């Protein structure tokens, strides 16, 4: 008689214990009642904003810490390094640059994401070097890294200045010297194998050679399209223009209505076979490789393979905020997007008030985030 | 001489024993202190700490995806970016985005997801490593509402209670069988149970592979829990049987004497197996019912979790498969009672409920508070319980058949039992 009852009792006890354990394991300790609520979301139309007591993971609204940032994209945008200028006996211009390669530092490439970058002069992308056709370019290259590195320039120069066959050892130096020709936009990058590794870590930059008769006066900027494979699976985790994903989305590039804008655009994206640039609400004249003064195309989108580049010229007809991004939407949604804020040139008061309104409309969450 | 030295040695060794007991611990603690204080003595170069997180659960709410993530690596880790289908999205992390070892947190991603579509939820740690979990098809996560609870209860009833009850209806049939046929059905039951036990372990293993980080050693945990459950249930049941028998004035083996009377089998076997025969058929049935109940609890957890995780669209065909599969469980419960003279309808119904109702409770818990770790623990307990029943029924048959199990009815019954389970299992 009592045997089954005893077993039932055991059964009941076991069930109670099991229920207890499940409840304990199931209820994760997520109750953390702080009144410190923050807003997140809201920059994508139709999504609204959300409240949280926790941390916000939001690369499109949060500014990157400038101190540990791999580059300051706003500074980089319009920074052209013309070198130390001197003149040779025959009167031609000599431009001397110092470029230091390093490969040891870990820097922030997207909010919170740290990655071991290999750099020319401490930034990714490396410095934008600029000369005029016919100048003598002299680059004092110092390898401050732990492995071999070189500088390989696209353009016309002698074999020994090509930076391919003679790797520069750690601690070593080399002087690259060549006449700037022809005019155009040229990438430079490290040419030590595995090439893929040296490029994807960040050893690249832009060389601009201006024609002897300068191009028309314009608001000039350089844009380097790149990516980062932070988990080494030969697929990029982040795509950027000028080094930091989404940067120009939350820091729009201010330009003037009607003013000629000239962009020196270079694609150094590794792994993906192509990349592109699409401009909103406008078209641009495209000068492939920048080697001609006659535009090749009048378009709103240009597609490039790795190493390809060109010059874009356009001006905005109406004030407002306009996006530009890769029309490979995957790249756009992994960081390769930005925006121009077009303001009216004369009336500074109007322009600034307009700026505030636009920022408030498009980015309502920023106030609560910092 | 020998004795004297022995005494002297004993008196000295008391201290020595304590000393030698402590020495290994002392050396061990010195080693630990040394390694922790001067790691450079042992390791050249830098320690490379590889972060590891595991996304344990992904829930879908209107315009929101919520991932539960835990740090299963060896050091603290920060999660800095979230993505859906490898596209970066704004997200919030509660309580915060820094996880200590084994800590877990929720990542809330506002996202307009579509019903029935697969989604990969990715999280990137501060060193740029991306971790992903793929959900086969998105479906609104069941909320603990009355409607959803009664929905689970209905599924649980169809899958657990009704089939067991149907199986019990074989009781009158089983009672009329000869000893050989009775042995056949009892070993048939054993076959069913062995299948169920293995099935629970395999199902647990699937969850381990899918949802549990290697840091928890899920496979070992599953097997360990099953063994612990088996051993402790064997111990508890035999202890309780002894105590109950000591208290009751009933004869020790009433059922067995009945069996021997009816069949006129030899009395000597009764004598020889006296010490071992401690379980009566009703108790045996009850143990089977409890074992199956524990098993069905685990099955319920798995069903609830499958609905929660959007892995199964519970179709009527699937429920039918479960029903057929589980009907055999009712048969397992009634089989030992076949030789009982008394009809115990109330007890049978009670046993049916004990075996079947845990399915409902399991589906509630699995569906509303899914925890893969808890699920494999209960699948392990269920497997252990099933094997304990196998042990009890097996030893009961062993002593009831003159310690010979290799007879045609028993062997064929056992094999058919496993085979039938396999066939009905194909429907699930």
């Amino acid at each position: 008689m009592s045997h089954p009852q005893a077993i039932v009792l055991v059964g009941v006890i076991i069930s109670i214990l099991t229920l207890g354990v499940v409840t304990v394991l199931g209820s994760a300790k997520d109750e953390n009642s702080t009144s410190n609520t923050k807003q997140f979301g809201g920059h994508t139309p139709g999504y609204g904003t959300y409240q949280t007591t926790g941390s916000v993971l939001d690369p499109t609204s949060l500014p990157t810490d400038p101190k540990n940032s791999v580059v300051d994209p706003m500074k980089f945008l319009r920074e052209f390094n013309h070198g130390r200028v001197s003149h040779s006996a025959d009167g031609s211009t000599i431009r001397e640059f110092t470029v230091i390669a390093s490969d040891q530092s870990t820097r922030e490439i997207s909010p919170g994401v740290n990655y071991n970058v290999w750099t020319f002069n401490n930034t990714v992308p490396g410095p934008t070097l600029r000369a005029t056709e016919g100048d003598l370019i002299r680059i004092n290259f110092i390898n401050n890294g732990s492995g071999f590195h070189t500088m390989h320039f696209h353009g016309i120069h002698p074999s020994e200045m090509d930076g391919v066959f003679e790797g520069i050892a750690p601690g070593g130096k080399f002087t690259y010297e060549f006449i700037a020709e022809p005019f155009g936009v040229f990438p430079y990058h490290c040419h030590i194998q595995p090439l893929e590794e040296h490029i994807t870590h960040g050893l690249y930059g832009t060389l601009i050679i201006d024609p002897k008769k300068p191009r028309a006066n314009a608001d000039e900027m350089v844009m380097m399209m790149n990516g980062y494979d932070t988990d080494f699976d030969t697929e990029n985790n982040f795509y950027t223009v000028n080094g930091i994903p989404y940067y120009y989305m939350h820091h729009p590039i201010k330009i003037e209505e009607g003013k000629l804008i000239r962009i020196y655009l270079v694609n150094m994206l590794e792994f993906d076979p192509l990349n592109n640039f699409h401009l909103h609400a406008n078209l641009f004249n495209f000068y492939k490789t920048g080697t001609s003064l006659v535009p090749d195309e009048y378009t709103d989108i240009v597609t490039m393979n790795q190493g390809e580049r060109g010059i874009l010229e356009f001006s905005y007809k109406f004030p407002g905020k306009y996006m530009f991004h890769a029309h490979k939407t995957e790249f756009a949604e992994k960081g390769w997007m930005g925006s121009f804020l077009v303001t009216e040139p004369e009336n500074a008061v109007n322009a600034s008030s307009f700026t505030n309104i636009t920022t408030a409309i498009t980015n309502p969450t920023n106030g609560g985030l910092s | 001489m020998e004795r004297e030295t022995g005494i002297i040695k004993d008196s000295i060794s008391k201290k020595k024993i304590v000393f030698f007991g402590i020495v290994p611990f002392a050396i061990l603690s010195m080693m630990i202190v040394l390694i922790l204080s001067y790691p450079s003595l042992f390791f050249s170069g830098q320690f490379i700490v590889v972060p590891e997180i595991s996304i344990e659960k992904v829930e879908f709410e209107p315009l929101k995806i919520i991932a539960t993530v835990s740090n299963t690596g060896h050091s603290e880790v920060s999660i800095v970016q979230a993505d859906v289908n490898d596209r970066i999205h704004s997200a919030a992390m509660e309580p915060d985005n820094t996880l200590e070892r084994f800590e877990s947190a929720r990542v809330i991603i506002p996202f307009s997801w579509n019903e029935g579509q697969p989604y990969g939820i990715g999280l990137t740690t501060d060193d740029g490593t991306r971790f992903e979990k793929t959900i086969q098809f998105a479906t609104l996560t069941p909320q603990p509402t009355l409607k959803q609870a009664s929905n689970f209860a209905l599924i649980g009833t169809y899958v657990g209670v009704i089939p067991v009850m149907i199986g019990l209806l074989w009781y009158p049939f089983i009672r009329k069988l000869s000893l050989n046929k009775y042995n056949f059905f009892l070993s048939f039951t054993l076959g069913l149970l062995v299948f169920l036990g293995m099935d629970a372990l395999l199902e647990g293993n699937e969850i381990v592979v899918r949802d549990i980080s290697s840091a928890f050693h899920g496979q070992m945990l599953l097997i360990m829990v099953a063994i612990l459950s088996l051993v402790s249930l064997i111990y508890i049941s035999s202890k309780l049987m002894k105590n109950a028998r000591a208290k009751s004035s009933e004869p020790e083996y009433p059922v067995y004497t009945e069996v021997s009377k009816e069949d006129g089998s030899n009395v000597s076997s009764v004598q020889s197996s006296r010490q071992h025969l401690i379980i009566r058929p009703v108790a045996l049935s009850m143990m089977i019912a409890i074992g199956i109940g524990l098993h069905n609890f685990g099955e319920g957890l798995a069903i609830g979790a499958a609905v929660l995780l959007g892995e199964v669209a519970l179709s009527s065909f699937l429920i039918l498969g479960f029903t057929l599969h589980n009907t055999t469980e009712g048969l397992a419960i009634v089989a030992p009672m076949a030789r009982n003279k008394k009809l115990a309808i109330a007890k049978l119904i009670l046993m049916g409920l004990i075996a079947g109702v845990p399915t409902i409770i399991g589906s509630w818990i699995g569906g509303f508070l899914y925890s893969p770790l808890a699920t494999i623990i209960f699948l392990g307990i269920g497997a252990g319980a099933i094997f304990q029943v196998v042990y009890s029924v097996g030893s009961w048959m062993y002593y009831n058949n003159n310690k010979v199990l290799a007879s045609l009815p028993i062997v064929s019954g056992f094999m058919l039992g496993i085979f039938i389970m396999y066939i009905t299992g194909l429907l699930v």
Side-chain angles (χ1 to χ4, degrees):
Chain A
M1 269 300 282
S2 59
H3 303 177
Q5 283 163 2
I7 297 171
V8 172
L9 191 69
V10 174
V12 169
I13 291 168
I14 289 173
S15 335
I16 291 171
L17 283 177
T18 56
L19 276 174
V21 175
V22 168
T23 317
V24 169
L25 287 173
S27 62
K29 14 169 184 168
D30 49 0
E31 306 310 324
N32 196 356
S33 56
T34 45
S35 56
N36 234 343
T37 58
K38 285 158 262 180
Q39 275 190 321
F40 72 103
H43 48 74
T44 313
Y47 276 56
T49 58
Y50 292 81
Q51 299 282 336
T52 181
T53 53
S55 314
V56 175
L57 316 179
D58 195 353
T60 58
S61 307
L62 289 175
T64 308
D65 171 19
K67 278 175 197 157
N68 193 36
S69 170
V70 72
V71 66
D72 177 347
M74 206 46 93
K75 184 165 165 251
F76 181 87
L77 185 70
R78 292 181 173 106
E79 192 171 63
F80 301 96
N81 188 340
H82 296 272
R84 292 176 297 281
V85 180
S86 58
H87 295 278
S88 65
D90 64 354
S92 66
T93 306
I94 302 171
R95 296 186 186 272
E96 210 169 322
F97 303 88
T98 303
V99 175
I100 302 170
S102 6
D103 54 25
Q104 295 291 297
S105 74
T106 295
R107 307 278 284 283
E108 200 172 5
I109 52 109
S110 180
V113 181
N114 296 290
Y115 177 63
N116 168 222
V117 282
W118 300 3
T119 57
F120 287 129
N121 286 359
N122 237 1
T123 58
V124 176
T128 304
L129 312 180
R130 193 161 186 173
T132 306
E133 195 179 19
D135 291 351
L136 178 75
I137 295 178
R138 183 180 294 150
I139 291 154
N140 301 306
F141 176 68
I142 301 165
N143 181 2
N144 204 18
S146 61
F148 278 70
H149 297 297
T150 63
M151 284 182 87
H152 160 72
F153 291 88
H154 290 212
I156 299 170
H157 46 248
S159 163
E160 60 270 25
M161 294 299 148
D162 200 37
V164 171
F165 300 110
E166 286 147 31
I168 313 305
K173 289 176 186 176
F174 190 86
T175 303
Y176 296 100
E177 206 173 273
F178 52 88
I179 305 291
E181 63 174 328
F183 70 82
V185 195
F186 304 93
Y188 66 84
H189 56 89
C190 177
H191 213 292
I192 294 290
Q193 283 170 329
L195 215 50
E196 192 178 81
E197 184 181 38
H198 287 252
I199 288 177
T200 192
H201 275 84
L203 289 172
Y204 44 79
T206 305
L207 168 69
I208 298 169
I209 300 176
D210 290 315
K212 278 184 171 148
K213 181 174 174 285
R215 288 187 170 88
N217 181 37
D219 180 359
E220 295 197 320
M221 39 192 93
V222 64
M223 288 194 186
M224 171 69 85
M225 302 188 283
N226 75 342
Y228 301 103
D229 170 24
T230 55
D231 51 8
F232 310 100
D233 60 356
T234 68
E235 278 180 28
N236 289 304
N237 298 55
F238 301 95
Y239 295 82
T240 92
V241 66
N242 290 351
I244 304 235
Y246 297 109
Y247 189 87
Y248 299 124
M249 276 309 279
H250 48 84
H251 296 94
I253 299 167
K254 289 184 182 116
I255 55 177
E256 277 180 23
E257 183 193 314
K259 170 111 184 162
L260 179 65
I261 308 298
R262 181 176 299 123
I263 297 175
Y264 298 92
L265 181 70
V266 184
N267 178 37
M268 282 308 291
L269 183 68
E270 193 54 77
F271 305 119
D272 292 287
L274 54 83
N275 199 347
N276 56 21
F277 178 104
H278 165 57
L279 186 67
H280 274 218
N282 211 342
L283 275 80
F284 53 82
N285 275 314
F286 184 66
Y287 303 81
K288 198 166 161 48
T289 320
T291 45
S292 166
L293 296 173
V294 182
D296 294 280
E297 202 180 6
Y298 184 56
T299 180
D300 56 39
I301 185 162
V302 58
T303 298
M304 295 174 173
N305 203 325
Q306 190 188 64
E308 290 189 316
R309 66 281 179 187
I311 296 171
L312 286 66
E313 284 182 352
F314 58 91
S315 60
Y316 267 97
K317 200 171 177 182
F318 307 104
K321 197 174 177 184
Y322 301 98
M323 265 188 95
F324 61 96
H325 58 88
H327 218 300
K328 177 86 179 71
T329 49
E330 176 197 353
F331 303 172
E333 290 183 321
K334 288 162 99 171
W336 181 169
M337 55 165 81
S339 58
F340 289 112
L341 185 62
V342 183
T343 55
E344 293 166 48
E346 299 93 356
N347 198 330
V349 180
N350 274 356
S352 70
S353 66
F354 182 80
T355 305
N356 288 341
I357 291 163
T358 324
T359 314
I361 290 167
T362 51
N363 224 338
T365 62
N366 259 358
L369 286 171
S370 48
Chain B
M1 271 297 281
E2 257 192 313
R3 215 187 152 206
E4 265 180 39
T5 50
I7 289 163
I8 293 162
K9 269 183 185 165
D10 272 351
S11 62
I12 294 169
S13 60
K14 284 239 168 171
K15 280 173 193 164
K16 270 193 177 172
I17 284 168
V18 174
F19 176 73
F20 283 120
I22 290 172
V23 162
F25 286 109
I27 294 174
L28 197 60
S29 21
M30 274 164 58
M31 290 297 294
I32 291 170
V33 169
L34 200 62
I35 288 180
L36 291 179
S37 327
Y38 304 101
S40 55
L41 280 179
F42 299 87
F43 307 98
S44 57
Q46 286 176 314
F47 280 107
I48 295 170
V49 181
V50 181
E52 200 196 313
I53 56 173
S54 97
I55 302 169
E56 290 178 342
K57 178 163 73 170
V58 177
E59 293 165 285
F60 292 87
E61 286 181 15
L63 286 175
K64 260 186 220 172
I65 297 176
I66 298 169
T68 304
V69 58
S70 70
N71 176 4
T72 45
H74 294 277
S75 61
E76 189 182 274
V77 68
S78 288
I79 291 163
V80 294
Q81 226 130 101
D83 66 73
V84 177
N85 288 342
D86 203 17
R87 306 294 180 266
I88 298 163
H89 282 271
S90 302
M93 218 170 140
E94 294 169 356
D96 63 64
N97 71 332
T98 304
L99 296 177
E100 318 242 308
R101 227 185 144 190
F102 293 119
E103 192 189 342
S104 62
R106 279 154 44 95
V107 182
I108 299 120
I109 311 170
F111 189 82
S112 160
W113 52 276
N114 300 319
E115 179 88 25
Q117 244 172 251
Y119 286 100
I121 308 303
L123 295 174
T124 301
T125 54
D126 57 353
D127 70 335
T129 314
R130 180 174 175 271
F131 296 85
E132 194 191 50
K133 168 124 181 153
T134 306
I135 304 304
Q136 287 313 317
F137 49 87
T139 182
L140 201 63
T141 299
Q143 298 300 312
T145 57
L146 199 65
K147 185 172 174 287
Q148 186 64 48
S150 52
N151 210 348
F152 274 133
L154 193 67
I155 294 169
T157 308
Y158 264 88
V159 166
V161 182
I162 291 175
V164 173
M165 290 299 184
I166 291 172
L168 293 180
L169 293 176
W170 270 306
Y171 182 48
F173 166 75
I174 293 249
R175 278 167 55 97
K176 301 290 179 208
L177 296 172
S178 68
L179 180 65
N180 268 351
K181 285 175 186 156
Y182 174 57
N183 274 337
F184 173 80
F185 273 101
L186 214 52
S187 60
F188 180 80
T189 296
L190 281 187
L192 306 182
L193 291 172
V194 166
F195 184 95
L196 282 184
M198 292 193 297
D199 192 42
L201 290 178
L202 291 177
E203 195 167 342
N205 186 54
E206 257 174 51
I207 293 173
V208 168
V209 170
R210 190 187 60 209
D211 288 338
I212 294 182
S213 146
S214 57
F216 291 110
H217 302 288
Q219 267 117 347
M220 206 58 227
L221 180 70
L222 181 67
I223 292 166
M224 183 192 74
V225 169
I227 292 172
L228 291 185
S229 151
L230 170 64
V231 171
S232 50
L233 284 173
I234 286 175
Y235 176 76
I236 291 169
S237 66
S238 70
K239 196 87 182 164
L240 283 172
M241 288 296 164
K242 264 181 202 161
N243 290 349
R245 207 173 51 240
K247 279 176 197 160
S248 80
S249 54
E250 287 174 47
E252 276 189 47
Y253 315 110
V255 173
Y256 194 72
T257 39
E258 269 173 2
V259 170
S260 50
K261 261 183 215 162
E262 274 178 14
D263 301 313
S265 53
N266 52 3
V267 186
S268 63
S269 75
V270 177
Q271 302 302 328
S272 67
S273 58
R274 212 162 244 278
Q275 290 102 315
H276 307 284
L277 267 177
I278 49 168
I279 301 168
R280 306 181 320 152
V282 176
L284 206 55
S285 289
M286 184 60 82
M287 282 170 61
I288 294 178
I290 292 171
I292 288 174
L294 282 172
H295 169 79
N296 279 350
F297 181 71
E299 200 163 70
L301 280 179
I303 290 171
V307 174
L308 174 82
L309 301 178
E311 301 213 322
V312 188
L314 273 177
S315 62
S316 45
F317 184 72
L318 187 79
I319 292 176
L320 191 72
F322 262 115
T323 307
L324 282 178
H325 191 65
N326 289 2
T327 303
T328 50
E329 291 173 355
L331 184 64
I333 294 171
V334 292
M337 300 241 287
R339 313 309 283 177
N340 234 6
K341 272 211 159 170
K342 282 189 291 181
L343 256 178
I345 300 296
K347 263 183 197 147
L348 271 183
I349 291 173
L350 176 68
M351 288 175 194
L353 291 177
I354 288 174
V357 171
T359 317
I360 301 173
I361 302 167
S363 67
W364 283 337
I365 295 172
F368 298 141
L369 316 154
Y370 176 66
S371 153
L373 214 52
T375 305
I376 64 153
I377 286 171
F378 289 112
L379 284 172
I381 291 175
I386 292 283
F387 288 125
Q388 185 259 338
V389 173
V390 170
Y391 169 80
S392 302
V393 176
S395 52
W396 194 84
M397 284 178 71
Y398 181 66
Y399 292 113
N400 267 330
N401 287 283
N402 299 326
K403 301 191 178 182
V404 177
L405 286 179
S407 69
L408 187 63
I410 292 176
V411 171
S412 60
F414 184 76
M415 295 200 303
L416 194 65
I418 292 185
F419 187 65
I420 291 282
M421 285 306 265
Y422 176 75
I423 295 296
T424 57
L426 292 180
L427 296 175
V428 175

